[in-house]
Amino acid sequence: MRIIRRILIAGGGPVGLLCAWLIGRHGLPVRLLFDNNNGPQPDPRAATTHPATLDLLAEDGLADDMARVGLVAPIFQFWDRPSAELVAQFDHAVLRNDTRHPFVVQCEQFKTAKLILERLRKCPSVEILFDHEVCDVAQTADAVSVQVRGPSGLVSHAGAYLVGADGGRSTVRRRSGIAFEGFTWPERFIVLTTPYDFETGRGYCYRSYFADPGAWCNCFKVSADGPPGLWRTVYPTDPAQSEDAIMSDAGVQARIQSFFPSAAPYEIVHRNLYVTHQRVAETFHKGRVLLAGDAAHVNNPIGGMGLNGGIQDAANLSDKLIRVLSDAAPERLLDLYDLQRRTVAIEFVQEQSIANKKRLEARDPQARARNLDDLRRTAADPERARQFLLRTSMIASQRRAEAVTLAEEYVRSFPRKRESS
Ligand SMILES: Cc1cc2nc3c(=O)[nH]c(=O)nc-3n(C[C@H](O)[C@H](O)[C@H](O)COP(=O)(O)OP(=O)(O)OC[C@H]3O[C@@H](n4cnc5c(N)ncnc54)[C@H](O)[C@@H]3O)c2cc1C
């Protein structure tokens, strides 16, 4: 029987593209990468790229290219909106011995995707098919196949493994019968993008978080089409308010003015509304199907961890798939991918992103005072600040993932196996 060695990838967002590049540049065949769009989409989602992720992307100059087309942001701030007090300021410089990149790079995700795509176009072992939608998945012990709808109709493609990097509503995950466990926040999150310069106008740095009882705001700068750049502000919305009211001119002005009062109306160049979830797939590895990025885990955007986690998945998974397909490691290594990345998705990204939201929206005056005081004291103590930044910059989660071994899986699965026997 002919052994199929090629890898199929569903989804050409930054995570799928990165998997294709990391695998393809080793000369292994990623014959088909399918995406149902016609190329990277410029929607205002991820921008914040953390030190741990930049370290992974340093090879071949990708991290440098992201800094070139984005903005370097070494500092972030926490503000208390009602008192207008700058509560705490953190400088990634305290991580200088922990990372080669003691700063964040604000690079819009479509720019990251385009930078990877440029590299992929020079990779002869990778075939990219935009305008192709994965509709179904089937697998046997030896191979996996996908049904793909493209301009010439429905076609079946077979491979050794399928990476589902097709986003939060992943068809690969659904058609593989993998549950997406967690919950959906009742409030939607709105992103309002403005050219108003919050740095010169109000003294905010490129990443600023605002606490407000029952509400919050993230305000950060992106380079957009070049200087002077744009500022994105993100807020929760009232679940009882209609989408029309939220998105109306009056609605968006009222929202931005409530946080940043100004005599003149703000110019709003984009307004986007997102339903937000906290979910993790029950497994990232089912037979010949592997999940990565939003297909595997989703979280609220406070702290900018979703895509960072997805890029870390892509690096971890690609390395293991290369070893398995080169016969340098047994297939069982893929279980370690699930164990390492699922562990940190739950222990770090879910936990941290939920804690970030709760800290900013706390209503109880005593809890608010405690939170703000804790931030003040953390920022004032260099070693506490370093420990805090190790978590927020996702270095701690990378270290945790690397420390997870298969022996740990045996220990953990033992009681489960005993229960089911
Ligand atoms: C407002 C907001 C701000 C955010 N900010 C940050 C941040 O600063 N930092 C951060 O790390 N994260 C952030 N995130 C999260 C980040 O946007 C996601 O984690 C990231 O997009 C995940 O990348 P991905 O490649 O896994 O999925 P996606 O970017 O969703 O890409 C999936 C791709 O698969 C394609 N696709 C879907 N279904 C199919 C199919 N059936 N067949 C073929 N193709 C298919 C889609 O068209 C898409 O191109 C933010 C999210 C939001 C909403």
Side-chain angles (χ1 to χ4, degrees):
M1 195 185 67
R2 195 168 64 87
I3 297 171
I4 305 170
R5 284 197 175 266
R6 75 179 167 219
I7 292 173
L8 309 176
I9 299 177
V15 173
L17 290 170
L18 186 65
C19 277
W21 180 54
L22 294 176
I23 296 167
R25 72 183 180 171
H26 276 260
L28 285 167
V30 183
R31 286 274 305 285
L32 306 154
L33 178 137
F34 312 101
D35 194 275
N36 58 4
N37 280 318
N38 57 5
Q41 301 299 301
D43 53 333
R45 292 195 283 157
T48 299
T49 312
H50 288 295
T53 312
L54 294 169
D55 286 350
L56 289 175
L57 300 178
E59 216 182 308
D60 292 335
L62 183 53
D64 289 344
D65 285 350
M66 289 168 69
R68 183 175 48 76
V69 298
L71 296 171
V72 173
I75 286 169
F76 67 100
Q77 298 173 333
F78 282 95
W79 294 77
D80 181 39
R81 213 268 322 165
S83 64
E85 179 201 345
L86 172 60
V87 175
Q89 175 162 300
F90 292 94
D91 187 341
H92 286 85
V94 295
L95 299 180
R96 69 181 73 79
N97 296 324
D98 296 288
T99 170
R100 283 177 287 159
H101 302 87
F103 49 81
V104 151
V105 168
Q106 296 284 111
C107 178
E108 298 96 314
Q109 71 180 66
F110 72 92
K111 291 184 184 167
T112 306
K114 281 184 177 170
L115 289 169
I116 303 170
L117 204 49
E118 279 169 18
R119 287 161 165 79
L120 270 178
R121 302 259 189 231
K122 296 177 200 145
C123 219
S125 60
V126 178
E127 186 178 340
I128 304 162
L129 296 173
F130 284 114
D131 290 320
H132 283 70
E133 181 189 4
V134 173
C135 304
D136 205 359
V137 177
Q139 59 170 307
T140 64
D142 303 313
V144 59
S145 66
V146 285
Q147 291 286 322
V148 178
R149 187 175 293 113
S152 48
L154 209 56
V155 177
S156 179
H157 300 267
Y161 294 99
L162 167 65
V163 177
D166 50 343
R169 279 179 261 171
S170 170
T171 300
V172 172
R173 186 188 66 236
R174 288 168 201 235
R175 300 303 294 168
S176 303
I178 300 173
F180 208 24
E181 296 161 344
F183 65 91
T184 301
W185 294 104
E187 69 272 42
R188 286 167 293 181
F189 292 15
I190 188 168
V191 183
L192 302 179
T193 306
T194 175
Y196 176 80
D197 185 346
F198 283 100
E199 187 180 31
T200 44
R202 290 172 177 264
Y204 303 154
C205 71
Y206 289 0
R207 286 175 69 211
S208 298
Y209 296 91
F210 296 83
D212 195 355
W216 48 265
C217 173
N218 297 346
C219 174
F220 54 95
K221 187 173 182 182
V222 290
S223 60
D225 295 330
L230 293 172
W231 291 76
R232 291 183 186 165
T233 58
V234 190
Y235 316 79
T237 64
D238 178 354
Q241 218 183 354
S242 72
E243 182 164 341
D244 285 349
I246 292 170
M247 299 294 266
S248 67
D249 288 346
V252 300
Q253 282 301 327
R255 193 172 304 281
I256 194 166
Q257 289 279 355
S258 75
F259 262 84
F260 310 112
S262 156
Y266 285 88
E267 181 186 348
I268 305 294
V269 292
H270 302 295
R271 56 192 84 180
N272 299 76
L273 195 59
Y274 294 95
V275 175
T276 306
H277 315 266
Q278 302 283 159
R279 294 182 187 276
V280 178
E282 66 175 326
T283 180
F284 292 5
H285 176 208
K286 187 169 181 181
R288 296 194 161 264
V289 170
L290 297 129
L291 300 179
D294 275 19
H297 45 76
V298 286
N299 55 274
N300 79 67
I302 304 171
M305 303 183 114
L307 178 54
N308 282 271
I311 289 175
Q312 293 170 12
D313 294 344
N316 186 313
L317 176 58
S318 304
D319 175 62
K320 290 180 171 54
L321 279 172
I322 289 165
R323 288 202 266 158
V324 169
L325 281 168
S326 315
D327 296 324
E331 202 165 72
R332 181 140 173 60
L333 187 64
L334 299 175
D335 288 343
L336 187 58
Y337 164 69
D338 169 54
L339 187 66
Q340 290 180 327
R341 295 306 310 163
R342 201 168 170 277
T343 297
V344 298
I346 295 167
E347 286 182 5
F348 280 81
V349 178
Q350 292 297 315
E351 202 184 299
Q352 181 85 43
S353 57
I354 293 172
N356 288 346
K357 180 171 181 290
K358 290 198 179 307
R359 176 167 48 214
L360 294 184
E361 71 189 5
R363 285 177 195 271
D364 173 57
Q366 283 181 342
R368 265 173 58 69
R370 240 189 346 264
N371 289 342
L372 300 182
D373 199 42
D374 195 40
L375 282 170
R376 258 181 226 108
R377 282 190 283 116
T378 304
D381 175 339
E383 185 46 31
R384 278 186 69 172
R386 176 175 162 266
Q387 292 301 332
F388 181 74
L389 288 177
L390 284 172
R391 277 184 79 85
T392 60
S393 65
M394 300 181 78
I395 294 172
S397 63
Q398 267 293 89
R399 289 180 181 169
R400 170 72 177 121
E402 281 160 17
V404 173
T405 64
L406 280 175
E408 186 168 344
E409 180 200 20
Y410 280 124
V411 173
R412 285 199 204 178
S413 64
F414 184 60
R416 246 192 289 164
K417 281 186 182 152
R418 275 212 310 200
E419 275 162 27
S420 58
S421 63

